Amino acid sequence: MEFDQIYILNPVYRLKADKKRAVLFNSSNDPIKSKDTSDFLGLVHPIFGILFSFFNGENNLNEAVEKASNFLGLSNSDVLNLVLPLIQNDDELNFNYNGYCLHFPKNLFIKRECCHDSINKIELSDYLIPKSDLDLKSWRLYQPLDILFMVNNICHTDCIYCYADRREKTNLKIPFPRIKELIKEAKSLGMRNVDISGGEIFLYSNWEALLNELAENNFKPYISTKTPIDLETIKKLKSNGVKRIQISLDSIEKCQLSRILNVKDNYYSEIMQTLENLDKNGLIIYINTQITRFNSDKIEELVKYLLGLENVKRINISAAGYSLYSNHKFTDFRTDIETMKNIEEFINKTKDDIGDNVILNVSGYVDGDKYLNVDRKIKENNFKSRSRCSANFYAMFLLPDGKVTVCEELYWHPRFIIGDLTKQSIEEVWNSEKALGLDNLAKTDIRDESECKQCDQFHECHKFLGVCWKEILYAYGYENWDYPDPKCPKAPKPNNIFYL
């Protein structure tokens, strides 16, 4: 270890005070920036916030340790014992504090290089939390990290696999001055992301002003579109600080696009021209592709074409999924497991051939074995090791009429509406009776016909790792929100086919 070297918190991570503790997380949802790190979010004792504040880009290691020791009344060796394992660490680490396991990601502190012109300054005063207030037990954050903003549910296309609730067309109803207030509040709360969703952002008349306001408040939204855009629009995007854009492209076959997206014949030439123009103008392009039985035979041609574009940096392929709201029958367009396995094999081989220039990924297909044919013991182990969903844990979803729900695929389901940002602040919605009620769900909220009513693991299941509300509705229907997660070994057989 070089004690005269300046070390800083790795810019791919951020530390933030969360009322009664600190929270450590990935600083960006940009897959390129975070490709060498795990998707991380963990609770941290505030003493680490105090320690980290001395690694401010100005103090070398000796100076940082000395200042931290003086402030905390600890010996230099005690401070070093806490800090050294986190400097250029190759592996993730665990610390034990009074029975609580504090988890840290790899490569947390790195040498300051000339390219690190923006240092994440950590304010020591934010972490002076009284011991009596300390909370390292509850999982749900006291303040949200992310908000996904659905500007409308109006689209340029009419995809057969669309999962959005478009039964009633809704343009943005929140006045723009109120939107500006919400963006400023999000910044004041230290939120990580204010992202944009649709519908279509380019069918919102005030999209340019919205992106400008986000940029001025240091938010860099993840824009995704299926709308062909012209050179003038590309210039406007660049002038508003947009450096990356996701284009949803399912095929480079004209007839396949027409069948899957229900678009006019000129759509094909317009979207291909959009890709060429984006590439020539230097925007980083991410591609999202949905596999159906109508386009699975042309994925190799699609990938090979995309790899020929200089600025395509990520291609994500997933199987088109089930929708709660579409008139199209899932079993009419879904692909199958064997096809997805073959696509995975092709992608893995292509990865070996191209190296690290482009991120290639296959994800997002729901295997029926998870719900139907799995041995009960295997199902129990899988369910216990499930990932925690972000919904009502650290993220919220803003609908175009101002209502807030916990997940983008639940839309206006009344059981999951937790507030209204036309009338409430972000913090008020996050700490509303409805939001906290979902987090502290009681058996009295559950109907007798649900297996959850009698389960002796109800509290642990819902309070800690949680359930996937979306998949519950998929499996058992819109009205049966209180049924078990279909991955649960005690869950009944799904009523609907939502898997491959």
Side-chain angles (χ1 to χ4, degrees):
M1 195 62 61
E2 301 172 53
F3 284 85
D4 59 350
Q5 175 68 49
I6 295 175
Y7 294 95
I8 59 170
L9 182 66
N10 191 331
V12 302
Y13 301 115
R14 265 184 64 194
L15 187 75
K16 176 183 178 296
D18 186 46
K19 299 279 187 183
K20 299 184 178 185
R21 65 280 183 96
V23 59
L24 183 66
F25 52 91
N26 291 79
S27 61
S28 173
N29 62 350
D30 187 336
I32 287 180
K33 288 185 178 179
S34 58
K35 68 178 180 178
D36 295 325
T37 63
S38 56
D39 186 15
F40 184 86
L41 189 150
L43 302 181
V44 178
H45 192 286
I47 194 173
F48 287 96
I50 295 170
L51 287 172
F52 292 1
S53 71
F54 295 102
F55 290 79
N56 54 12
E58 299 170 4
N59 299 324
N60 64 30
L61 180 56
N62 262 329
E63 293 165 340
V65 169
E66 185 68 30
K67 290 179 180 180
S69 299
N70 291 337
F71 183 84
L72 292 167
L74 297 174
S75 67
N76 285 11
S77 61
D78 286 338
V79 171
L80 282 171
N81 285 337
L82 290 171
V83 170
L84 287 184
L86 303 175
I87 296 177
Q88 299 183 146
N89 52 308
D90 293 331
D91 299 305
E92 296 183 356
L93 295 170
N94 295 319
F95 280 77
N96 187 282
Y97 173 81
N98 284 356
Y100 295 110
C101 184
L102 307 179
H103 192 52
F104 292 90
K106 65 180 181 179
N107 209 27
L108 186 58
F109 278 86
I110 59 175
K111 289 182 181 180
R112 179 173 183 177
E113 308 289 353
C114 57
C115 59
H116 299 135
D117 53 352
S118 178
I119 306 297
N120 183 11
K121 299 288 186 180
I122 297 171
E123 295 294 334
L124 183 152
S125 58
D126 291 343
Y127 301 93
L128 300 178
I129 298 169
K131 186 176 181 180
S132 58
D133 289 346
L134 186 64
D135 177 14
L136 295 173
K137 183 177 181 180
S138 60
W139 282 39
R140 186 179 190 265
L141 300 192
Y142 285 94
Q143 295 176 325
L145 278 185
D146 301 330
I147 186 166
L148 184 56
F149 180 15
M150 182 185 186
V151 295
N152 55 38
N153 65 355
I154 302 167
C155 294
H156 188 85
T157 60
D158 184 20
C159 309
I160 59 175
Y161 54 73
C162 180
Y163 64 77
D165 185 353
R166 297 191 296 145
R167 293 173 293 183
E168 288 187 22
K169 299 292 188 291
T170 306
N171 262 313
L172 188 61
K173 296 180 180 179
I174 309 170
F176 196 71
R178 178 60 183 149
I179 292 173
K180 292 172 70 173
E181 290 174 356
L182 293 171
I183 292 171
K184 285 180 171 58
E185 184 190 358
K187 181 181 179 181
S188 72
L189 292 174
M191 291 181 67
R192 171 175 57 183
N193 295 313
V194 179
D195 268 332
I196 302 299
S197 172
E200 267 293 348
I201 184 173
F202 296 114
L203 296 181
Y204 168 49
S205 60
N206 217 14
W207 67 265
E208 191 177 359
L210 174 59
L211 292 183
N212 183 60
E213 188 67 23
L214 288 167
E216 286 186 359
N217 286 277
N218 299 319
F219 290 113
K220 300 173 183 178
Y222 192 85
I223 295 174
S224 177
T225 186
K226 277 189 169 81
T227 299
I229 53 178
D230 56 22
L231 283 169
E232 185 63 29
T233 300
I234 292 171
K235 290 177 183 177
K236 289 179 179 179
L237 288 171
K238 293 181 73 174
S239 69
N240 282 286
V242 175
K243 297 180 180 179
R244 59 191 172 118
I245 187 169
Q246 178 175 288
I247 300 294
S248 296
L249 184 68
D250 298 328
S251 179
I252 54 170
E253 292 286 323
K254 183 177 180 180
C255 60
Q256 289 185 354
L257 279 185
S258 296
R259 183 170 196 177
I260 296 168
L261 306 186
N262 290 302
V263 289
K264 296 178 181 178
D265 288 344
N266 61 345
Y267 178 85
Y268 171 79
S269 59
E270 290 176 352
I271 198 67
M272 299 304 285
Q273 186 63 57
T274 294
L275 279 172
E276 299 287 342
N277 288 340
L278 288 167
D279 195 49
K280 289 175 183 175
N281 282 272
L283 265 78
I284 293 173
I285 306 167
Y286 299 157
I287 299 293
N288 191 53
T289 298
Q290 299 289 312
I291 306 297
T292 71
R293 69 183 184 90
F294 303 122
N295 65 332
S296 58
D297 62 325
K298 296 294 183 180
I299 296 304
E300 291 190 20
E301 288 89 337
L302 171 65
V303 170
K304 288 173 183 176
Y305 163 75
L306 293 171
L307 292 175
L309 298 176
E310 182 179 353
N311 290 303
V312 168
K313 299 301 180 185
R314 180 177 184 255
I315 304 169
N316 188 66
I317 296 172
S318 56
Y322 180 85
S323 173
L324 290 163
Y325 314 102
S326 174
N327 292 323
H328 297 281
K329 193 175 180 182
F330 178 55
T331 50
D332 288 344
F333 64 78
R334 67 173 177 169
T335 186
D336 55 72
I337 291 292
E338 183 179 357
T339 297
M340 292 306 299
K341 297 287 188 188
N342 290 336
I343 291 173
E344 276 188 304
E345 186 177 340
F346 161 71
I347 292 297
N348 288 334
K349 182 180 183 303
T350 305
K351 281 182 184 178
D352 294 337
D353 294 339
I354 65 172
D356 296 330
N357 292 329
V358 181
I359 299 173
L360 287 175
N361 187 40
V362 176
S363 64
Y365 61 92
V366 183
D367 189 340
D369 280 348
K370 290 183 179 179
Y371 310 95
L372 300 175
N373 303 317
V374 178
D375 176 89
R376 185 181 176 88
K377 195 65 181 175
I378 295 174
K379 200 169 185 180
E380 283 180 0
N381 291 334
N382 289 342
F383 193 57
K384 287 177 182 177
S385 61
R386 67 194 184 277
S387 298
R388 172 83 193 221
C389 177
S390 65
N392 204 37
F393 170 33
Y394 63 81
M396 60 205 299
F397 185 78
L398 174 58
L399 294 158
D401 61 356
K403 298 290 194 302
V404 179
T405 184
V406 298
C407 166
E408 66 172 306
E409 291 197 46
L410 298 176
Y411 295 98
W412 285 274
H413 193 300
R415 193 61 184 79
F416 302 102
I417 298 293
I418 60 174
D420 186 338
L421 283 176
T422 64
K423 304 172 183 177
Q424 299 167 280
S425 69
I426 293 172
E427 274 205 289
E428 286 171 340
V429 170
W430 187 251
N431 293 297
S432 68
E433 184 178 346
K434 287 288 295 287
L436 297 178
L438 272 177
D439 184 54
N440 296 290
L441 204 64
K443 283 189 179 182
T444 52
D445 298 314
I446 306 300
R447 295 172 299 161
D448 290 342
E449 53 264 41
S450 170
E451 280 78 357
C452 292
K453 188 75 170 183
Q454 307 303 324
C455 181
D456 58 1
Q457 297 176 320
F458 177 88
H459 177 74
E460 292 78 6
C461 178
H462 286 80
K463 182 66 177 176
F464 297 106
L465 288 179
V467 297
C468 181
W469 302 110
K470 174 191 74 175
E471 286 197 351
I472 292 171
L473 300 189
Y474 281 2
Y476 305 113
Y478 196 77
E479 70 284 1
N480 292 321
W481 69 271
D482 57 351
Y483 272 42
D485 188 310
K487 296 185 291 296
C488 172
K490 299 179 182 179
K493 181 180 178 181
N495 298 333
N496 303 316
I497 298 174
F498 64 98
Y499 40 79
L500 304 188

